[in-house]
């Protein structure tokens, strides 16, 4: 554990809390992609099955349980409790275009051809692209509420901070995991356009609005 | 050197 890793985890935690609070306080999930949230739930389920086979630390276990539980709580709020507010006609990204290549890639490019390892690899690849339905939705509607922008910023920062953590670990522990690093870089790059808009618009008090 | 199969990260 180093400061970048901890900051990354906290940023991830913050993103989820912002999202849940937004939905709960406004009683609405408008502007949020249910498809991205389903992909995140699938990501954490596939990755954290090792909760029952591999003990790392109390911190690790608590965080994993939190990520799995909140991902399903978000889905419950979006698809059941506040279903009427879900903007499904703007949430039209075809997730099979992500799931199919990610599944094939996980079967081909992995550290070990075993059930748990392929699930882990699948989750790493899937997480990298899981935000695309959400970014697609923002580009389709041409705008995002500020609170949604803060959520996306925290979520994007998390993998960027992990990249610093991997650089740190490479120099201090000679440890690196190419699959995680490459997927993490792809994940972060997908946010670049959004980061730019966040700094130039949202932080100056303007709404995130794409040029027509 | 740590094994990359350990997955100690989140």
């Amino acid at each position: 554990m180093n400061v970048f890793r901890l900051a990354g985890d906290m940023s991830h935690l913050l993103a989820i809390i912002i999202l849940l609070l937004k939905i709960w306080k406004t009683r609405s999930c408008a502007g949020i992609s249910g498809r991205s949230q389903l992909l995140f739930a699938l990501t954490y389920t596939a990755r954290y099955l090792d909760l029952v086979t591999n003990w790392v630390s109390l911190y690790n276990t608590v965080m994993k349980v939190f990520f799995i539980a909140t991902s399903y709580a978000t889905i419950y709020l979006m698809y059941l409790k506040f279903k009427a507010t879900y903007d499904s006609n703007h949430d039209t990204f075809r997730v099979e275009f992500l799931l199919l290549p990610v599944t094939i890639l996980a079967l081909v490019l992995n550290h070990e051809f075993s059930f748990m390892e392929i699930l882990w690899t699948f989750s790493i690849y899937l997480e990298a692209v899981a935000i695309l339905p959400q970014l697609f939705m923002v580009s389709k509607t041409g705008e995002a509420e500020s609170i949604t922008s803060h959520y996306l910023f925290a979520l994007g920062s998390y993998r960027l901070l992990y990249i610093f953590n991997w650089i740190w670990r490479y120099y201090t522990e000679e440890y690196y995991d190419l699959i995680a690093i490459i997927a993490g870089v792809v994940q972060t790059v997908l946010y670049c356009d959004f980061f730019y808009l966040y700094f130039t618009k949202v932080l100056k008090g303007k709404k995130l609005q794409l040029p027509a | 050197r740590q094994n990359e199969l350990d997955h100690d990260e989140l």
Side-chain angles (χ1 to χ4, degrees), chain A residues 54 56 110-112 117 120 169 173-178 180, chain B residues 1-9:
Chain A
N54 181 30
V56 179
N110 51 59
H111 293 308
E112 185 185 277
E117 192 55 25
W120 178 85
R169 290 189 73 174
E173 302 168 40
E174 286 176 67
Y175 169 81
Y176 67 94
D177 183 333
L178 266 185
Chain B
R1 191 193 180 301
Q2 194 181 344
N3 190 329
E4 70 233 325
L5 294 173
D6 285 348
H7 306 316
D8 61 331
E9 292 178 344

Side-chain angles (χ1 to χ4, degrees), chain A residues 10 30 63 72 93 100 103 134 192 199:
Chain A
M10 291 307 114
M63 294 292 268
Y72 284 99
F93 192 94
L100 198 65
T103 306
Q134 178 66 60
C192 283
F199 283 114

Side-chain angles (χ1 to χ4, degrees), chain A residues 16-27 77 147:
Chain A
I16 291 169
I17 292 169
I18 290 174
L19 179 65
L20 283 173
L21 276 180
K22 172 218 144 51
I23 296 175
W24 192 256
K25 293 272 177 197
T26 62
R27 322 295 287 174
L77 292 179
I147 189 73

Side-chain angles (χ1 to χ4, degrees), chain A residues 20-190:
Chain A
L20 283 173
L21 276 180
K22 172 218 144 51
I23 296 175
W24 192 256
K25 293 272 177 197
T26 62
R27 322 295 287 174
S28 162
C29 53
I32 302 298
S33 164
R35 294 185 181 207
S36 275
Q37 296 307 319
L38 286 171
L39 294 181
F40 282 127
L42 186 58
T43 293
Y44 304 134
T45 308
R47 189 177 311 165
Y48 301 150
L49 280 181
D50 72 350
L51 264 173
V52 286
T53 61
N54 181 30
W55 173 266
V56 179
S57 64
L58 181 64
Y59 171 83
N60 202 276
T61 298
V62 170
M63 294 292 268
K64 283 174 174 173
V65 170
F66 180 86
F67 289 141
I68 293 179
T70 49
S71 67
Y72 284 99
T74 308
I75 287 171
Y76 163 74
L77 292 179
M78 291 196 72
Y79 286 97
L80 293 165
K81 194 163 176 65
F82 301 125
K83 191 180 179 19
T85 64
Y86 168 44
D87 224 352
S88 61
N89 53 330
H90 285 130
D91 191 16
T92 52
F93 192 94
R94 300 277 297 272
V95 290
E96 56 270 36
F97 292 150
L98 299 178
L99 285 171
L100 198 65
V102 158
T103 306
I104 294 168
L105 207 59
L107 289 168
V108 176
L109 280 179
N110 51 59
H111 293 308
E112 185 185 277
F113 199 84
S114 66
F115 179 71
M116 291 298 277
E117 192 55 25
I118 285 170
L119 276 182
W120 178 85
T121 313
F122 168 79
S123 82
I124 292 290
Y125 295 149
L126 181 60
E127 185 190 342
V129 294
I131 201 60
L132 284 175
Q134 178 66 60
L135 295 175
F136 177 73
M137 196 171 173
V138 172
S139 73
K140 208 172 175 203
T141 57
E143 58 177 35
E145 286 176 66
S146 292
I147 189 73
T148 306
S149 305
H150 299 322
Y151 160 69
L152 282 170
F153 180 73
L155 195 62
S157 306
Y158 135 70
R159 227 43 180 177
L160 175 67
L161 288 160
Y162 257 72
I163 294 173
F164 295 123
N165 152 59
W166 292 322
I167 295 168
W168 180 266
R169 290 189 73 174
Y170 178 75
Y171 286 110
T172 59
E173 302 168 40
E174 286 176 67
Y175 169 81
Y176 67 94
D177 183 333
L178 266 185
I179 288 178
I181 292 170
I182 292 170
V185 170
V186 169
Q187 186 168 338
T188 304
V189 165
L190 293 181

